[in-house]
Amino acid sequence: MNQKTPQEARAALPNSQIAMLLGLIALIPVLGFQFGVGNQVEQFSIIERMRNADFATGDFYIDSASQFGPRFYYSAMMAALANFVPLHVLIFLLTLLCNSGTAAATYLVARKFLRVDQLAAAAAAALAIANSSFSLSLASNIRFDSFQPASIAIPLCFFGFYFLFSRRRALAALTFSTATLFHPLIGLQTGVIAFGAYFFATIFSPPSGVKLWRELTVQICAGLFFLALVFITWGVPSLASPSEGIPIEEPAEILFKFRAPHHYLPSVFPLSHYLAGLAFCAGVAAVIFKYTMRSRVSRAVIALVAAGLIVLTLCALTLILVEVFDSALWTSGQTFRLLYIVKWVGFFFIGWQAALWMREEGVAGPLFAALIIATPSDAQPFVLVFCLAAKALMSFFSFRGILAVSVISGVVLLSVLLATKFNAYTDLVRAATAFVCLYLVFGSFLNRKLGVAAAATVVFGLIGFAIVNKEAGWVSLKAFRPTFTWNDLDTPDANIARWVRDNTPEGEVWMTPPDFEAFRLLAERAIVVDFTSIPFDGLAMREWKTRMTAVYGVVDGTSFQALAAKRKNYASFTPKQLRAVMVIYGANYAVLYSETSFDGPVIYENDVYKVVKR
């Protein structure tokens, strides 16, 4: 078991100040906060329909997606809450709540089950909140800038792990099943992995004072209870109101291969993302080995590592079953999303390593700790490996003087080059801020009260600057240009949508460019179709593909390449083509690109778009 050094004992903080520190860490993503941007928008229109049955009447996507389906419970909860709190305020408050939950769950698991000190646990929490690390599949984040159902499900899953490790199995089952309400895939898969990993860990490291068969039986019952809750909340309603389905190969072609292969198909993930993921696993494996040499390995640690290995095994199977055997059913599981568990497990050990280095004498240790916490995105795993290799090299050969300086300088230079290459400057600001907070609170030159106060000054100072800069425009970096309300969206498409809301008849269906998903919310009008908002019901998904082809034409390529081609098509259509599609879908109005030829009345335009009437 780890023993505190005298320095660590002096640095111990009361729980109230730890809570304040975790709260400050949870506030850091306010830098670069996003409202009305990204995937959250496709949920907002469903929420508005649930609040007001007359919202955007005749909108094909909302009509389908507001029925019972994967988005239902999340949208229903948000709609209920939005009756009391404006939606933009609700998103902000829930973001802070979920960030706090992730930080708290990470800290508690690290302290109680990895038995690390406060600095190591806080460093793990800071990594989980402020550093996205590798981006393999573009969906494996622990925390998302664009608040969405997964933003609630993931911290709930972390608390599910905590309760399971605490042997409060029924509460763990309830927590994981609650996570499925907001994101059925993440909640179900994570719950099954957690129960399976802990079952294995219990066999490997049986509890004392309890018969093994009895402990395993209780765990099996808790797991079955979890599955029963999921069936009650998802299976029963689906059976009670079945919808006509389509062969699974069809949604596989539409969603997995055309709309979002960057999330589903391993063959399209960039090689650099795979390399970053492998570097992360290699670096974490080295730190885990080091941890096992110094610390007593608890059952929870075994379970965490087992959970990570299960996810990696599932990803390896995906490479075979999806790319070789073209299994549509396996593809629908989107297993690479589960790499968020691997990140979370890795952050515990990276935080532990960073704490060791921060307490070393000299420059190398604290500097390397800063690098592995503050270097963001896909650069972080490589920097972790560089720092571990450099420390091992310096220790083995006892480098001193100019040799040590050369090695340290080389690592710093490589870290800077990588951080620049991946262009994740907003993540860099957040992760660096997190490290500064850790250093101020646990650094030896400030007492604990002054340290927390200094960290608060840094966080609130940066947030204050971002709020002022949002209006002043001194700095263009996204970290200092947050969007908190719809009014913060000051773009040509937002301008057009607001004009439409204020100057055109209600109840009309509009045709728009393919990436105008926010038009529904800003204009409060129905649209024919858009690229982002795709229904999950089988027949509706088929209709979405039909509409995409009719409105934007047939294109080569998939995902973002297809979106760019459809923009080009839409801009080049003739007036006759545009009118023909508008007639088919009952659209009397359209938003066109300003360069698009149209021989009918143009009733409004700006530098990029124009509003026309059929």
Side-chain angles (χ1 to χ4, degrees), residues 134 275-288 312 339 342 381 384-385:
F134 64 91
L275 294 176
L278 290 172
F280 184 89
C281 293
V284 168
V287 178
I288 290 175
L312 293 175
L339 287 170
V342 174
L384 172 64
V385 172

Side-chain angles (χ1 to χ4, degrees), residues 68-106:
F68 185 79
R71 302 177 173 103
F72 181 79
Y73 289 115
Y74 169 81
S75 300
M77 183 199 75
M78 297 292 286
L81 293 175
N83 287 324
F84 303 98
V85 182
L87 184 60
H88 65 276
V89 176
L90 178 61
I91 292 296
F92 184 80
L93 293 177
L94 284 176
T95 298
L96 297 185
L97 178 63
C98 291
N99 289 350
S100 299
T102 295
T106 303

Side-chain angles (χ1 to χ4, degrees), residues 13-28 100 103 107 122 437 441-442 448-457 459-460:
L13 294 170
N15 290 336
S16 60
Q17 293 192 0
I18 287 294
M20 290 176 63
L21 174 60
L22 295 179
L24 291 173
I25 291 171
L27 278 170
I28 290 174
S100 299
Y107 183 87
C437 289
V441 172
F442 294 99
R448 59 195 185 189
K449 290 184 179 179
L450 285 178
V452 174
T457 301
V459 172
F460 284 108

Side-chain angles (χ1 to χ4, degrees), residues 88-173:
H88 65 276
V89 176
L90 178 61
I91 292 296
F92 184 80
L93 293 177
L94 284 176
T95 298
L96 297 185
L97 178 63
C98 291
N99 289 350
S100 299
T102 295
T106 303
Y107 183 87
L108 289 171
V109 171
R111 286 286 283 160
K112 185 172 181 179
F113 301 109
L114 277 77
R115 302 187 180 95
V116 299
D117 61 36
Q118 291 179 329
L119 172 55
L127 285 163
I129 294 298
N131 198 321
S132 59
S133 192
F134 64 91
S135 53
L136 188 58
S137 87
L138 300 178
S140 59
N141 289 17
I142 288 175
R143 190 197 59 78
F144 296 87
D145 284 345
S146 181
F147 189 87
Q148 53 194 273
S151 302
I152 303 176
I154 287 173
L156 283 171
C157 286
F158 291 160
F159 275 107
F161 275 101
Y162 175 76
F163 293 135
L164 186 59
F165 296 163
S166 301
R167 300 178 70 186
R168 300 163 73 178
R169 300 123 179 143
L171 189 54

